[in-house]
Amino acid sequence: MRLAFMGSPDFAVPALRALQAAGHEIAAVYCQPPRPAGRGQREAPCPVHRAALALGLPVRTPARLRKDAAEHAAFAALGLEAAVVAAYGLILPQAMLAAPRRGCLNIHASLLPRWRGAAPIHAAILAGDAETGVTIMQMDAGLDTGPMLLRGTVPIGPRSTTPELHDTLAELGARLVLEALERDPPAVPQPEAGMTYAPKLTKDDARLDWSLPAAALDRRVRALNPWPGTAFRQGGEAIRVLEAAPAEGSGAPGTVLDAAGLVACGEGALRLLRLQRPGRGPMPVADFLRGFPLPVGTVLG
């Protein structure tokens, strides 16, 4: 089948490789343009760009699409049966949505209509959901509002993290989109009941609010690492919390309760397990506290 693939981050790479391995003809790969990265701020291609070059596929990196008639025409001229979209990062205008004969299929990392939007994996962990999954959706002009073609579920365990779910869902999405292209299942409209929205995350989401219950802060640590991360301020530094777990304990929120990194929360306490100072490597809490003590009674910011 003659396809275009449209995606940018690591999440999209398994689907691109699976489509190529299955024998589909990928006429073009669309992804975000190279961006400055690293200490030298040299322009670097995104993960999908690198994967496409390794597979010998042609790559297009338009900075915008909405009002670019030349890009719309070039896309239509590809003569596509379908386009597969996975976390591309640009909104497709109607002219492009309508160009492939079978339209554009989106790999969305949630069980739609729950967690439409930019950060569905993080949102599912933050909310304490028992499961998440992937929906293969026929795209329309709305934000993740199109009819559903296939869904697959994945349990969220009590210690699940965003990186773990990300990789599992990326592989599931690759399998499901191959099945959707092969079977061409009927499209089922999304119900409005149960619709929730997962907004884009920002650096402001990183701060830990000790007035929240320990269980909520634990979910936050598991959901928001590696980006935007979770942190508290102490001694003028933002200390990143890379791993933690809820524990028994009580006290004024933010107060250090013992010498091993137990911190009181709005309900219960949070056991700090792995921390990182700015410019330093991650450390188990025992090693961290030897160089950066948090005495009992300290109130963390």
Side-chain angles (χ1 to χ4, degrees):
M1 189 178 299
R2 186 170 171 85
L3 307 172
F5 185 84
M6 312 179 88
S8 297
D10 286 315
F11 177 81
V13 171
L16 173 62
R17 290 175 174 158
L19 291 166
Q20 171 85 342
H24 291 286
E25 179 189 1
I26 301 176
V29 174
Y30 284 72
C31 56
Q32 290 283 300
R35 310 279 192 208
R39 291 185 178 179
Q41 289 295 286
R42 294 182 179 178
E43 285 199 344
C46 68
V48 164
H49 193 156
R50 296 194 299 270
L53 293 178
L55 294 171
L57 299 172
V59 177
R60 297 181 65 88
T61 58
R64 59 188 60 85
L65 292 174
R66 288 185 63 187
K67 298 181 179 180
D68 194 330
E71 282 292 348
H72 304 171
F75 187 73
L78 292 173
L80 303 172
E81 183 71 15
V84 172
V85 183
Y88 176 32
L90 292 179
I91 295 175
L92 302 188
Q94 185 59 40
M96 296 181 74
L97 291 172
R101 285 182 286 278
R102 287 178 54 180
C104 299
L105 279 61
N106 180 248
I107 304 171
H108 185 76
S110 83
L111 298 174
L112 291 171
R114 188 160 178 79
W115 304 128
R116 294 175 182 171
I121 302 174
H122 310 78
I125 295 177
L126 286 170
D129 290 357
E131 65 177 8
T132 185
V134 169
T135 303
I136 306 299
M137 170 188 76
Q138 189 83 48
M139 294 179 70
D140 62 13
L143 178 63
D144 301 328
T145 57
M148 303 178 293
L149 302 175
L150 287 175
R151 298 168 92 214
T153 62
V154 171
I156 300 178
R159 306 310 307 154
S160 293
T161 65
T162 287
E164 292 166 355
L165 283 179
H166 171 281
D167 292 352
T168 299
L169 294 173
E171 296 294 339
L172 175 60
R175 296 194 300 271
L176 287 178
V177 80
L178 289 178
E179 183 180 347
L181 290 170
E182 181 179 353
R183 285 178 45 200
D184 195 14
V188 178
Q190 291 187 41
E192 284 305 312
M195 193 281 286
T196 52
Y197 180 68
K200 186 176 181 179
L201 297 168
T202 72
K203 291 182 179 179
D204 292 338
D205 293 308
R207 179 181 171 272
L208 289 173
D209 180 354
W210 298 108
S211 69
L212 294 174
L217 291 175
D218 168 54
R219 293 195 299 268
R220 199 161 193 85
V221 171
R222 290 186 287 112
L224 300 188
N225 281 309
W227 197 91
T230 50
F232 61 87
R233 295 201 66 84
Q234 188 63 25
E237 297 185 19
I239 308 299
R240 292 194 66 182
V241 179
L242 304 177
E243 187 178 354
E248 295 294 325
S250 63
T255 302
V256 177
L257 299 177
D258 69 16
L262 183 68
V263 184
C265 304
E267 292 179 14
L270 192 71
R271 174 69 68 189
L272 305 178
L273 298 175
R274 198 157 58 98
L275 303 174
Q276 183 177 14
R277 293 177 67 184
R280 310 285 183 90
M283 302 178 73
V285 69
D287 296 340
F288 180 93
L289 293 175
R290 278 194 284 271
F292 194 100
L294 297 174
V296 174
T298 301
V299 179
L300 306 181

